[in-house]
Amino acid sequence: MEEFDAEALAAGLETFGGDEAERRAVARHARDLADSGRYVEDADVELTPEHVVVQLADAPEGGPAERWNWWLGALEFAYGGYAEFQLRRWENK
């Protein structure tokens, strides 16, 4: 498994708006999820930046953080164990 490219995901999240800090925060959480191996184990799909963007595009609305949390909520419902990867807050630094 390749290392998760958080920078590529942050760039891909631009399509959903939000500011740079929000996109970086989502990308860090996605990298943590990828590093955990939980998604591959549950869904049998490698977590890549492209895959995350496709999944977040299914969200009804919102910026990157809202879409990320919507997807993680669906994963929590389906498999359990994803709440720890939800984004609670981010700082614009």
Side-chain angles (χ1 to χ4, degrees):
M1 181 176 87
E2 288 184 27
E3 184 173 320
F4 186 85
D5 189 345
E7 287 184 26
L9 176 56
L13 293 173
E14 289 179 13
T15 189
F16 304 125
D19 63 17
E20 185 179 341
E22 180 181 0
R23 293 188 299 268
R24 281 194 324 258
V26 170
R28 282 193 307 271
H29 279 70
R31 183 185 60 224
D32 291 346
L33 177 57
D35 289 348
S36 78
R38 181 170 294 152
Y39 186 72
V40 171
E41 185 177 306
D42 288 337
D44 200 28
V45 175
E46 184 177 350
L47 193 65
T48 64
E50 297 81 9
H51 183 73
V52 172
V53 170
V54 167
Q55 298 306 310
L56 300 191
D58 287 342
E61 61 185 4
E66 290 86 6
R67 289 170 179 271
W68 172 256
N69 284 343
W70 175 85
W71 185 48
L72 271 276
L75 292 173
E76 176 68 25
F77 182 77
Y79 304 110
Y82 286 85
E84 69 183 276
F85 298 103
Q86 287 188 315
L87 189 62
R88 285 159 182 63
R89 56 194 281 191
W90 63 93
E91 294 181 28
N92 193 358
K93 293 185 178 181

